[in-house]
Amino acid sequence: MPISSSSSFASSSASSPFSGPDPSPASEFDYDPDAGPVLVEPETRRLDGEVREAYVPPLVPPVTHGSLADLPFENAGADPGRRVLSRRDADGGWTDVTAAQFAGQVLALAKGLIAEGLTPGDRIAVMARTRYEWTLLDFAAWAAGLVTVPVHPTSSPFQTRWILQDSGAVALMTETVAQAAALDPQRDHLLGLRHLWTMEQGHVDRLAELGATAVPDQEVAVRRGVLGPDTPATLIYTSGATGRPKGCALTHGNFLTEVDNAIELLHPVFKARTARTARTARTARTARTARTSEEPSTLLFLPLSHVFGRMVAVACVRAGVRLGHAPSLGAEDLLADLASFRPTFLPAIPYMLEKIHDNARATAERRGRASSFDRAAGVARRYGEAVEARQHGTGPGPSRFLKTARAFHDALVYRRIRSALGGRLRHVICGGSPLGRHLAAFYAGAGIDVHEGYGLTESTGAATVTPPQKPRLGTVGRPLPGTRVRIAADGEILLSGGQVFRGYWDPHAGGVVPATYDGWFPTGDLGRLDDDGYLTITGRKKEVLITAGGRTVAPAPLENRLRSHPLISQCMVLGDGRPYVSALITLDMEGVTHWRLMNGEHPVPAEFLVGDPDLTAVLQRAVDEANQLVSRPESIRRFTVLPVDFTEQAGHLTPSMKPRRRAIMRDFAREVEGLYGG
């Protein structure tokens, strides 16, 4: 998804979790079992013996007035000195921004936008990496009554033009001069675009300076006052994996419903927690007096052009959680940001967690400790699974031996992984694609709880999430409170709830066109609910393959398993209308280089590895393991290794790292035919 293979988290062995001295022991964090909401079991409905619908009641009442524009000002009124954001300094440090300071900056920038002639309901587009100014501009635009339109920073000029034209944006704020210059040839087609600003040229500060003298504060207060939960807040365009991107019209109420219930459900993530050093707590009384509070914080590196990143940013401002931004996805830059910011939780995607695990294992292998790492990983998985069983009442929990083994490996392995992520990380909110049971159990045993979720742009982010203290590894959790999940007769996932969007933007139809039928939104994804209301994703409806023999195959489980292999970057399963299932595989060159060095061979380019028999044998074993997930007629019979990787720049991946199947089939038609003897 957001992290491309060219900027892999695993690319810096110098900053590895296994390099350098052992970090000092971390404090133990305890949660009051009475704090936060009591988990409510989902209400389920069955049809033909299967659970077809699950519902969890909301934890908070729906918002009936106000908007996202009010959040900075409410925070400033409640606790003006609280640090709510942190900005990266030129010297590499962080400068805290208090609630009062952020509200002042939002007000000044909102007045600047008004001074430039933007009127309520106007669309303003933002094309930038994840940085402080993005969040500032978001809230300032809302305070001015505007609708923000994110544009992914790597979008082509034509893609950018399409979004600007379709949304009717009157203003665009780019991050760099180069982005603005690339749009010049398209300006003749953008007659409605009146303003083109650039962060790099200081236009954010200039707008704030202009507004300070040109517009009274009362004008912003008036514009905020007319906003309500049903007012459109943003148009977020889908990735276009199956066609032209569509603008999802999300309201202020959609976001508030989403984040309010998420904050309450994930209270260990978003609420301050108490800590004590176990060695100083000799009695229960001294343990109580030795407690200190640790404020929650997160470093956001996910693109703010996607709903996941935007939802996390809004949730942090809503909850008063300290938020930092990391614009660079380069491994060294991101590791440095994590080390200096030291977040307590991270929003992430499975790709990142897979690369952290693979990098740790590769580093251990280079140091001759591969077997030690494998033992530690096995202990972590068994520990995580034992905790899961205890939380569901199906097992006694970790045995004394397992606890001892985990404590031993914590000092040697797990703590170093946590140290590489800043040293204070205890939670990861993971979405984008299924993580897999084994990796989720590994992180749980290593001291990092992974809260998997599922959702879409159309559902303002998460529609399901793994609740605290009751995970079900390998699933994407239960319905977010206030959400209903239904499985249609053909297996399609349907969603209903206050966070489900109003509809798609269509300027030719006069605005928003409803996209729900009878209150239910068809996601296009396939899934199943278990007896306790936990959802498992089984595939994508439009991507289901039907072989020449009539066998229906969902490619997602096979593709996800193969992509988690350290030598594989991307995989696309084929077989629609064909006699059997096959796959195109691309190589993760960092993993392959490490594998060759460990086998006494020099690194070589990917094109020289396509027919390498040793590599083919390793990949065949990976394919054989993946095939265990499906029946024999659904299994991959043949595969071919491509000499190049799928990239967004080549048009083979969407910005969220989903394969553009038609483009791949077109550009690699010869290789596809070769798989079937053509």
Side-chain angles (χ1 to χ4, degrees):
M1 223 172 108
I3 303 180
S4 67
S5 58
S6 61
S7 58
S8 167
F9 196 89
S11 65
S12 175
S13 60
S15 301
S16 158
F18 286 86
S19 61
D22 289 349
S24 58
S27 297
E28 295 295 330
F29 290 94
D30 297 329
Y31 297 99
D32 182 351
D34 298 324
V38 176
L39 290 181
V40 178
E41 293 301 312
E43 302 170 10
T44 60
R45 294 183 179 181
R46 292 177 176 270
L47 180 64
D48 298 330
E50 296 181 356
V51 176
R52 300 294 287 271
E53 187 175 320
Y55 169 67
V56 176
L59 292 174
V60 294
V63 174
T64 58
H65 63 278
S67 70
L68 299 173
D70 299 327
L71 302 187
F73 304 98
E74 291 174 351
N75 289 344
D79 189 356
R82 181 171 183 168
R83 56 177 187 169
V84 292
L85 291 104
S86 293
R87 302 187 66 169
R88 202 68 156 120
D89 293 334
D91 60 0
W94 295 90
T95 298
D96 293 331
V97 179
T98 67
Q101 289 171 334
F102 185 61
Q105 293 171 13
V106 167
L107 177 63
L109 185 53
K111 289 163 60 176
L113 296 171
I114 295 172
E116 286 285 9
L118 275 67
T119 60
D122 279 348
R123 272 78 66 198
I124 175 174
V126 184
M127 185 180 191
R129 296 175 300 165
T130 301
R131 50 188 291 168
Y132 178 85
E133 291 86 353
W134 217 125
T135 297
L136 174 62
L137 188 58
D138 226 358
F139 281 95
W142 290 330
L146 310 179
V147 178
T148 49
V149 182
V151 181
H152 197 273
T154 62
S155 296
S156 70
F158 181 80
Q159 290 170 325
T160 304
R161 167 188 153 187
W162 161 254
I163 292 175
L164 296 176
Q165 281 181 318
D166 190 72
S167 66
V170 302
L172 169 64
M173 176 72 77
T174 66
E175 180 180 6
T176 67
V177 173
Q179 290 169 338
L183 199 60
D184 282 343
Q186 307 292 334
R187 290 300 297 272
D188 290 342
H189 302 281
L190 297 170
L191 301 180
L193 188 68
R194 304 197 303 267
H195 305 281
L196 181 55
W197 300 308
T198 302
M199 296 177 186
E200 200 173 68
Q201 293 182 311
H203 289 160
V204 172
D205 291 337
R206 292 184 195 176
L207 285 168
E209 293 169 0
L210 173 64
T213 57
V215 176
D217 294 357
Q218 185 62 24
E219 177 64 23
V220 176
V222 170
R223 293 199 181 195
R224 283 174 47 209
V226 299
L227 300 176
D230 292 332
T231 306
T234 186
L235 296 179
I236 302 181
Y237 280 76
T238 59
S239 60
T242 58
R244 181 162 280 183
K246 295 183 290 186
C248 301
L250 303 179
T251 67
H252 292 270
N254 289 148
F255 272 99
L256 291 169
T257 299
E258 170 83 11
V259 302
D260 285 354
N261 282 284
I263 291 167
E264 287 302 308
L265 177 68
L266 301 177
H267 61 94
V269 178
F270 287 98
K271 306 294 184 181
R273 54 189 174 183
T274 57
R276 63 183 176 85
T277 303
R279 286 193 294 268
T280 65
R282 296 182 179 178
T283 67
R285 178 172 298 178
T286 58
R288 286 193 294 270
T289 59
R291 293 178 183 273
T292 59
S293 179
E294 180 186 60
E295 65 170 352
S297 61
T298 192
L299 184 68
L300 184 62
F301 59 87
L302 298 176
L304 284 165
S305 54
H306 296 163
V307 72
F308 190 5
R310 294 281 287 297
M311 184 270 290
V312 170
V314 169
C316 288
V317 174
R318 178 67 155 174
V321 169
R322 186 168 71 98
L323 172 66
H325 298 77
S328 174
L329 295 180
E332 292 185 5
D333 293 336
L334 189 52
L335 286 168
D337 286 341
L338 289 166
S340 60
F341 191 88
R342 305 189 70 218
T344 62
F345 74 93
L346 278 179
I349 56 173
Y351 180 86
M352 173 187 172
L353 299 180
E354 291 164 3
K355 290 305 175 186
I356 292 171
H357 173 276
D358 293 345
N359 185 44
R361 207 274 180 191
T363 305
E365 187 175 12
R366 280 194 295 270
R367 301 181 63 182
R369 300 179 182 177
S371 58
S372 296
F373 181 89
D374 292 341
R375 285 194 296 271
V379 167
R381 286 193 293 268
R382 292 195 299 275
Y383 190 93
E385 291 170 347
V387 170
E388 175 198 31
R390 181 181 63 196
Q391 291 168 331
H392 284 275
T394 59
S399 64
R400 180 177 298 180
F401 172 80
L402 195 54
K403 290 179 181 178
T404 302
R406 182 190 179 277
F408 172 77
H409 289 296
D410 186 70
L412 299 176
V413 179
Y414 315 143
R415 194 177 299 159
R416 297 191 181 191
I417 293 176
R418 298 195 301 268
S419 178
L421 297 172
R424 299 197 304 166
L425 190 72
R426 293 296 181 272
H427 299 276
V428 170
I429 302 174
C430 185
S433 62
L435 177 63
R437 179 176 177 83
H438 288 311
L439 205 55
F442 167 80
Y443 278 103
I448 300 174
D449 290 333
V450 179
H451 304 278
E452 278 201 80
Y454 161 77
L456 309 93
T457 304
E458 291 88 343
S459 63
T460 323
T464 69
V465 69
T466 302
Q469 284 82 53
K470 204 161 187 181
R472 179 148 294 170
L473 305 176
T475 75
V476 291
R478 309 193 301 199
L480 185 73
T483 307
R484 291 183 185 273
V485 176
R486 177 182 289 179
I487 306 299
D490 61 355
E492 183 174 9
I493 301 168
L494 310 179
L495 301 177
S496 178
Q499 79 275 42
V500 176
F501 76 149
R502 290 176 56 183
Y504 293 110
W505 177 260
D506 186 349
H508 304 294
V512 178
V513 178
T516 59
Y517 176 75
D518 197 24
W520 292 93
F521 173 70
T523 65
D525 291 313
L526 302 174
R528 62 176 181 270
L529 292 164
D530 68 13
D531 290 345
D532 297 317
Y534 288 82
L535 178 67
T536 299
I537 307 299
T538 59
R540 180 79 181 157
K541 188 174 181 180
K542 290 185 178 180
E543 295 174 358
V544 168
L545 311 174
I546 301 178
T547 66
R551 173 68 64 169
T552 299
V553 179
L558 291 166
E559 292 172 345
N560 291 333
R561 174 61 68 89
L562 285 170
R563 275 196 291 263
S564 68
H565 192 277
L567 303 189
I568 296 174
S569 175
Q570 295 290 334
C571 171
M572 194 177 88
V573 172
L574 316 168
D576 199 39
R578 303 285 190 168
Y580 52 83
V581 177
S582 62
L584 299 176
I585 290 176
T586 72
L587 300 176
D588 184 318
M589 289 309 298
E590 291 169 0
V592 171
T593 297
H594 167 76
W595 170 77
R596 287 183 63 85
L597 291 173
M598 289 299 99
N599 285 278
E601 299 176 338
H602 296 294
V604 296
E607 56 265 30
F608 295 107
L609 294 170
V610 170
D612 182 89
D614 293 334
L615 177 61
T616 300
V618 173
L619 297 178
Q620 183 63 62
R621 288 195 293 271
V623 169
D624 292 342
E625 291 175 2
N627 282 340
Q628 295 177 13
L629 299 173
V630 297
S631 66
R632 178 170 175 76
E634 299 171 274
S635 63
I636 297 171
R637 297 272 297 277
R638 297 185 66 187
F639 68 89
T640 190
V641 179
L642 300 178
V644 296
D645 201 358
F646 300 151
T647 65
E648 181 186 350
Q649 292 74 16
H652 298 144
L653 298 176
T654 70
S656 57
M657 300 293 285
K658 296 183 178 68
R660 297 184 186 271
R661 294 182 179 270
R662 282 184 289 183
I664 293 171
M665 291 289 288
R666 179 195 66 221
D667 293 348
F668 299 99
R670 186 175 63 180
E671 288 82 358
V672 171
E673 290 305 316
L675 287 167
Y676 295 98

